[in-house]
Amino acid sequence: MSDLYRSALSARISKLPMLPPEPDEDDEESEAADSLGSLPPPVAGIGPTTMPGTRAYASAQRKRAPNPELTPLSASAYFAQATQIAVPDSGLDVRAYYTPPRVREGGEPGTVIVCHHGAGQSALTFALAAGEVTELSRGECGVLALDCRGHGKTATTIPRPGPEGGEDFSIETLTSDFVNTLKVLYPDPGAAPSLLLSGHSLGGSVIVRACPLLQDLKYRLAGVAVLDIVEEFTLEALPMMHSLLDARPAGFGSQEEAIEWHLKTNAVRNPLSARVSVPAIIQPAPEGTSPAWIWRTPLRNTAPYWTSWFTSLSKLFLTARTARLLVLAGAERLDRELMIGQMQGKFQLTVVTGVGHMLQEDDPRKLAEVLVEFWRRNERVVPAGVKKVGER
Amino acid sequence: MDQDASGSGGWRFAQCFGDKGDVEDITEADIISAVEFDSTGNYLATGDKGGRVVLFQRNELKKGCEYKFYTEFQSHEPEFDYLKSLEIEEKINKIKWCKRQNAAHFLLSTNDKTIKLWKVFEKSLRVVSETNMHDGQQALAPPMAAQGLKLPRMTPQDQITAAVPRKVYSNAHAYHIHSISVNSDQETYISADDLRVNLWNLEVSDRSFNIVDIKPANMEELTEVITAAEFHPNHCNLFMYSSSKSNMKLADMRESALCDRHAKLFEEEEDPSNRSFFSEIISSISDVKFSHDGRYILSRDYLSLKIWDINMESKPVKTISIHDHLRGKLCDLYENDCIFDKFECTWGGDDKHVLTGSYHNYFRIFDVDDSGDVVLQADKSAFKAKKMGGPLPGNKAGAKNGVRPGGLRENMAMDTLDFNKKILHSSWHPREDTIAIAATNNLFLYSAA
């Protein structure tokens, strides 16, 4: 037959629907799905996993042998020390991971990159990046990562109920927590190392608000780096957060399972980093309940504060009186304010490709390079009397 | 043809043209792609993949059926379409003879894009025999006076057969031409490609009329292509075209200029229980032919031959299975593309028999009226048997080749069919029972006369 007929035929054949894959289940699994287990929490929404009645849900219920390749890793390889800092002004016992900067000749205190994580995350999200920074700067640049209120291993000593009910997660509280912690860590602003504040997602909002407060307290700021957060788009996406949260499983059977879920749903694309950071965002469930591991931070309770977190972020970023850096993941999408600011040269913009929202985890090396370069570029030996950028 | 013990229906191998070598080292250009007897049966034309046309002439001196080589010419050359960056093959797709009107022969040959009208004639070469300087044997003294001048004399020296392209009909088809058919009025002819049928006047090469167009507005929705087209042998206004969707349409040119609306539609309702993934592909009609009296239509689809009465559109008068044992192998045939092979079919000169080819060089001749059928194989074994004076293979008596008793019919259903050896093209002498079979690069002639 002619080529025309053949090509028309193959075009039609390719449009035929695919045969459904052969279900190769064993009988046990399907029986487990049929049996009535304990009533699961309502799982509605458009999530891909764990709808009740699906086999995946049944398997989530069943205990599965943990995947040996995904055992949790300690962050001790990436940070020099982990301490718990009592911050009475905030009523918190803050967990901090710290690599102090190498003291240079002349007693210069050096620089510390202070990292604030995003909502529902923990300080260990910066673990791999911290290790890279230490390596790249040959120890000259220190790294400090904090667990903020209600996250990681930070404990609340004095409960602070919020105006909206539940714990107080308002942006003002988070900012003051951050500032208070630094005050405890570095009581003498003059002797303290210069600080390069770096915040991911919600953390970015915290640091741009903390920046003027710290400068008023006479701390020296090397710069402020906001990671992958743009006000306008985040505010637009807030309504979708609820369905995103609904798609998350209520918990996991083991830490490995949690790590696997994060990798499978591409929340984190770097397996090594997931093994360090994911265990910090889940906690063991109370004895006897299922699933065995639940989320550390019930994000749904913070919903009332979401809008306040990100409002006026762009404005505050552009008016921070220090060197500014914005790192975006994947694509250069700026809102109107940031775009004007960028055209006016008010900040450095870096786009990292091939990474997801957790860019510090997906490509820690790249982020470390960007931060260290930003630090070196803005750190100058300043003769006395000459004001640095933004200094009053 | 009475029932005879040999089982070959009285058909005897007559001749084989070609290099008769092994299958492995065939030159691609030698593969025969078209076979056609002329309207008298005295001349036989074959076209090959290399664009050459070879003509054979009946040897009148011999009593039996014998053909000898007549002439050969290069009909088409490979071309390149610069606009679409496509090669245009020189393979001859069809040859059709025009009826003889004078001493010269006229035939149409076509490749994918261009049709040519060739005039083949005997040309006597004349040479100058006597000039003013030479009288044929010795030199002459040049004449001194005007009266001594004479015209040079020419004498015929040689007769050669010359082939000259009289007309070239080009640039009329966007798709590959697969059929041409000369009208009974001997003035016009049609050429058909996958989506269009054009009407030409033999005298006019720069213009043609489009009479059938089934191209859809959106090529993505293409489901049907035209597979064959032929003029009615007696009525100059009727022609037929078959499609890949297992139907044939008879169109009347008197009705309208564009014959998209058929006068008759020949389609057999498909048995829904037989439907399979391949139903559509195997029901696609590969060739269609009018009988010589114009009362019947012969159609060939992948597995069967169907004889239709021109007056009855609903179902064929007779359905003949050719190689039904292939029905179980359709998957493999789809994989190796053999399911798309276009087999031709032919009527016998007296419309009492039909002929079509199959795989492994088998071909079959069926009786139209009763149930006789003959299976023959166009193979080396045919002429080896002849040399030794023995009967054709397939005979019960001649088990020399280790052929199983029961004949070729059973052999055809063997598992080890060679799908590369297929009889696609054949032609039947219009006046006697002589057939020409194209088997890859060889031309076989069988006769039952």
Side-chain angles (χ1 to χ4, degrees):
Chain A
M1 283 295 164
S2 65
D3 289 335
L4 189 68
Y5 179 58
R6 238 181 282 211
S7 57
L9 208 60
S10 50
R12 275 165 51 206
I13 287 171
S14 60
K15 284 200 198 122
L16 289 174
M18 286 289 293
L19 284 175
E22 306 282 7
D24 52 354
E25 51 193 333
D26 50 330
D27 291 335
E28 288 172 22
E29 227 181 86
S30 42
E31 270 176 25
D34 288 338
S35 64
L36 280 180
S38 54
L39 268 185
V43 180
I46 53 174
T49 56
T50 64
M51 292 290 290
T54 63
R55 283 208 334 263
Y57 184 75
S59 48
Q61 300 284 65
R62 280 181 315 140
K63 290 239 181 301
R64 273 206 311 216
N67 186 342
E69 285 177 38
L70 295 178
T71 50
L73 283 178
S74 159
S76 49
Y78 307 105
F79 287 108
Q81 36 176 276
T83 59
Q84 208 78 15
I85 307 171
V87 184
D89 290 339
S90 289
L92 292 175
D93 234 356
V94 173
R95 166 67 81 131
Y97 301 89
Y98 188 40
T99 305
R102 186 159 50 89
V103 180
R104 285 182 283 183
E105 306 90 36
E108 286 283 333
T111 309
V112 172
I113 302 181
V114 186
C115 307
H116 193 299
H117 61 80
Q121 296 298 317
S122 85
L124 291 182
T125 189
F126 289 99
L128 262 68
E132 298 283 354
V133 164
T134 314
E135 195 188 310
L136 275 174
S137 65
R138 285 186 297 271
E140 266 182 58
C141 207
V143 186
L144 168 70
L146 307 168
D147 279 337
C148 80
R149 177 186 293 266
H151 292 75
K153 292 210 162 55
T154 294
T156 313
T157 49
I158 307 167
R160 189 183 297 197
E164 317 272 352
E167 200 167 339
D168 182 10
F169 277 105
S170 66
I171 191 69
E172 293 81 17
T173 308
L174 293 173
T175 314
S176 73
D177 290 343
F178 185 67
V179 172
N180 291 338
T181 313
L182 286 174
K183 272 164 49 178
V184 169
L185 262 178
Y186 305 109
D188 182 9
S194 64
L195 306 171
L196 205 171
L197 305 180
S198 127
H200 172 256
S201 192
L202 165 62
S205 200
V206 171
I207 59 164
V208 296
R209 281 166 220 268
C211 172
L213 299 175
L214 289 167
Q215 281 173 325
D216 282 341
L217 293 167
K218 299 282 180 272
Y219 283 95
R220 285 172 304 132
L221 289 193
V224 77
V226 171
L227 306 181
D228 204 28
I229 191 91
V230 175
E231 178 187 343
E232 193 179 305
F233 307 130
T234 312
L235 288 175
E236 273 170 15
L238 281 181
M240 291 188 268
M241 277 299 294
H242 283 286
S243 54
L244 247 151
L245 290 179
D246 290 338
R248 303 209 303 186
F252 304 98
S254 64
Q255 290 177 310
E256 285 83 357
E257 217 179 287
I259 296 170
E260 203 177 332
W261 180 85
H262 278 86
L263 288 173
K264 225 177 1 180
T265 57
N266 265 341
V268 179
R269 297 185 196 181
N270 184 342
L272 193 59
S273 186
R275 290 166 72 184
V276 178
S277 66
V278 169
I281 59 175
I282 54 177
Q283 65 186 11
E287 190 64 38
T289 60
S290 158
W293 293 80
I294 56 173
W295 299 101
R296 166 71 179 89
T297 315
L299 273 176
R300 214 158 295 183
N301 302 348
T302 62
Y305 305 99
W306 288 348
T307 315
S308 66
W309 284 350
F310 302 112
T311 323
S312 33
L313 165 61
S314 296
K315 180 164 72 84
L316 292 167
F317 175 63
L318 292 171
T319 52
R321 282 178 288 114
T322 177
R324 302 167 211 102
L325 165 69
L326 177 65
V327 184
L328 293 180
E332 182 188 309
R333 279 188 78 210
L334 297 173
D335 63 11
R336 189 171 169 277
E337 264 183 276
L338 286 178
M339 199 176 291
I340 296 172
Q342 202 220 350
M343 287 190 218
Q344 293 173 330
K346 290 203 173 156
F347 62 93
Q348 174 189 334
L349 172 66
T350 306
V351 177
V352 181
T353 52
V355 292
H357 181 53
M358 310 298 298
L359 57 97
Q360 68 275 14
E361 295 199 50
D362 294 342
D363 198 350
R365 180 90 189 173
K366 179 77 182 159
L367 179 66
E369 284 171 11
V370 169
L371 285 175
V372 171
E373 193 201 9
F374 177 64
W375 161 60
R376 282 204 215 281
R377 182 182 294 140
N378 291 297
E379 184 207 41
R380 293 185 286 270
V381 176
V382 181
V386 178
K387 294 208 176 114
K388 276 169 83 166
V389 171
E391 221 180 295
R392 288 230 184 88
Chain B
M1 229 107 19
D2 304 319
Q3 290 283 37
D4 62 322
S6 66
S8 56
W11 289 90
R12 297 177 319 273
F13 167 79
Q15 267 177 299
C16 176
F17 294 94
D19 72 0
K20 309 177 184 82
D22 270 328
V23 183
E24 279 69 354
D25 38 339
I26 290 183
T27 327
E28 184 94 358
D30 288 336
I31 298 175
I32 300 174
S33 53
V35 185
E36 192 80 12
F37 275 103
D38 78 331
S39 51
T40 64
N42 290 329
Y43 291 88
L44 176 61
T46 62
D48 62 21
K49 264 188 145 182
R52 293 167 301 207
V53 172
V54 180
L55 298 183
F56 298 90
Q57 186 183 35
R58 182 68 172 253
N59 193 345
E60 302 291 347
L61 304 171
K62 292 276 181 69
K63 249 200 320 198
C65 156
E66 194 182 292
Y67 283 80
K68 59 178 197 278
F69 173 83
Y70 180 49
T71 186
E72 177 190 337
F73 54 92
Q74 182 80 32
S75 170
H76 287 76
E77 297 277 357
E79 282 170 0
F80 195 76
D81 181 347
Y82 293 100
L83 189 64
K84 294 181 200 159
S85 286
L86 289 173
E87 263 186 27
I88 302 175
E89 276 183 14
E90 69 273 33
K91 169 168 85 96
I92 306 294
N93 288 331
K94 269 289 176 348
I95 296 177
K96 285 280 159 61
W97 292 86
C98 299
K99 283 210 168 71
R100 194 107 176 256
Q101 285 165 352
N102 50 29
H105 303 272
F106 283 89
L107 56 87
L108 285 169
S109 71
T110 180
N111 72 347
D112 283 338
K113 293 285 182 183
T114 309
I115 308 152
K116 291 189 185 177
L117 178 70
W118 287 90
K119 177 179 173 185
V120 181
F121 55 103
E122 305 284 324
K123 195 164 150 177
S124 64
L125 288 179
R126 303 169 79 117
V127 245
V128 177
S129 59
E130 284 178 27
T131 66
N132 284 302
M133 308 286 284
H134 202 278
D135 74 349
Q137 273 105 25
Q138 61 207 26
L140 288 177
M144 288 298 135
Q147 296 81 355
L149 273 175
K150 50 185 200 302
L151 276 172
R153 299 255 308 273
M154 307 267 279
T155 46
Q157 185 195 45
D158 232 344
Q159 281 263 61
I160 57 154
T161 317
V164 175
R166 287 313 245 153
K167 291 268 188 293
V168 178
Y169 311 91
S170 55
N171 288 332
H173 286 277
Y175 303 96
H176 291 346
I177 303 173
H178 51 67
S179 304
I180 47 174
S181 176
V182 185
N183 206 345
S184 46
D185 64 7
Q186 296 296 313
E187 279 190 10
T188 53
Y189 74 95
I190 49 173
S191 60
D193 68 15
D194 288 328
L195 297 175
R196 297 195 178 99
V197 179
N198 288 343
L199 178 72
W200 302 81
N201 185 311
L202 281 165
E203 301 290 325
V204 178
S205 62
D206 57 359
R207 220 173 346 146
S208 74
F209 294 95
N210 175 246
I211 51 177
V212 175
D213 187 344
I214 61 166
K215 183 173 174 188
N218 181 6
M219 278 301 277
E220 311 261 327
E221 296 159 3
L222 177 70
T223 50
E224 188 179 1
V225 296
I226 299 173
T227 52
E230 200 187 35
F231 263 119
H232 192 279
N234 302 325
H235 301 294
C236 59
N237 53 298
L238 290 177
F239 71 96
M240 182 169 53
Y241 59 98
S242 63
S243 97
S244 60
K245 283 222 161 153
S246 72
N247 61 45
M248 294 162 321
K249 296 191 173 111
L250 187 72
D252 191 333
M253 293 196 290
R254 296 174 297 190
E255 237 184 320
S256 70
L258 194 59
C259 301
D260 274 352
R261 271 183 337 154
H262 51 269
K264 282 191 194 277
L265 171 68
F266 298 88
E267 188 165 12
E268 184 174 19
E269 215 174 280
E270 200 186 314
D271 183 5
S273 63
N274 265 347
R275 289 207 76 183
S276 75
F277 177 72
F278 302 107
S279 307
E280 192 182 322
I281 306 178
I282 61 167
S283 64
S284 165
I285 295 178
S286 56
D287 194 21
V288 77
K289 289 266 167 48
F290 280 104
S291 63
H292 289 93
D293 54 16
R295 288 177 54 196
Y296 293 96
I297 297 166
L298 178 67
S299 74
R300 170 79 153 100
D301 53 63
Y302 191 68
L303 293 178
S304 63
L305 273 173
K306 290 184 179 162
I307 301 173
W308 304 73
D309 185 324
I310 205 172
N311 299 310
M312 187 161 81
E313 305 169 60
S314 52
K315 60 179 169 62
V317 174
K318 189 166 182 180
T319 306
I320 305 165
S321 284
I322 316 287
H323 37 217
D324 220 33
H325 53 271
L326 293 182
R327 203 179 276 272
K329 298 198 191 141
L330 290 178
C331 223
D332 300 321
L333 293 166
Y334 180 78
E335 298 285 320
N336 62 15
D337 263 0
C338 283
I339 206 174
F340 296 108
D341 286 335
K342 276 183 102 169
F343 289 95
E344 283 178 18
C345 56
T346 325
W347 287 93
D350 51 6
D351 292 339
K352 290 215 168 58
H353 296 87
V354 290
L355 157 71
T356 191
S358 178
Y359 290 104
H360 209 77
N361 283 350
Y362 286 108
F363 59 96
R364 299 185 78 162
I365 301 166
F366 297 92
D367 272 3
V368 171
D369 296 320
D370 55 43
S371 58
D373 89 87
V374 173
V375 179
L376 292 164
Q377 189 177 23
D379 213 346
K380 280 190 284 199
S381 52
F383 50 83
K384 272 192 198 146
K386 179 175 187 187
K387 254 201 247 171
M388 293 187 268
L392 276 177
N395 301 342
K396 296 190 187 63
K400 280 189 198 138
N401 313 357
V403 163
R404 286 185 305 191
L408 283 173
R409 212 161 291 118
E410 279 69 20
N411 285 354
M412 255 192 81
M414 272 186 328
D415 272 333
T416 53
L417 286 175
D418 184 347
F419 292 108
N420 290 322
K421 296 199 263 192
K422 42 194 135 175
I423 307 288
L424 298 173
H425 312 286
S426 54
S427 184
W428 200 306
H429 191 292
R431 299 208 185 129
E432 64 179 43
D433 282 335
T434 300
I435 52 180
I437 308 286
T440 324
N441 60 339
N442 294 322
L443 182 71
F444 283 79
L445 283 157
Y446 286 75
S447 183

